[in-house]
Amino acid sequence: MQVQVEYFAVLREHVGHGGEAVDTAARTVGDLYRELDARHAFPAVGRLKVAVNDEFRDWDTPLAAGDRVVFIPPVAGG
């Protein structure tokens, strides 16, 4: 199935773009993240948040074709 993935902050900088269409066999958001981490070797960023179709979700949320998945690292500010 294909899902749309978006990256924010340090993940966006690391990957070099803000998003991509991904063909995946991942069953959950966590499976998808591990698959993408193996592909991109993400830097350690602490506890990530994840949103699916504009709603924050748990890492065990099932995926469906056409989902929009956003990985959001912690943001520092001052």
Side-chain angles (χ1 to χ4, degrees):
M1 82 178 124
Q2 188 174 77
V3 296
Q4 182 64 37
V5 177
E6 294 185 21
Y7 305 105
F8 286 175
V10 69
L11 295 180
R12 180 184 184 126
E13 293 171 17
H14 179 78
V15 173
H17 50 81
E20 61 186 323
V22 175
D23 290 315
T24 182
R27 294 175 56 121
T28 68
V29 172
D31 294 339
L32 177 63
Y33 183 81
R34 286 185 287 279
E35 181 180 302
L36 293 170
D37 185 29
R39 182 184 309 170
H40 296 297
F42 292 141
V45 293
R47 189 170 181 123
L48 290 170
K49 297 272 188 184
V50 64
V52 178
N53 301 325
D54 300 320
E55 293 185 23
F56 285 109
R57 297 292 185 180
D58 294 325
W59 290 93
D60 59 353
T61 299
L63 290 174
D67 279 349
R68 180 174 160 259
V69 181
V70 181
F71 294 109
I72 308 164
V75 179

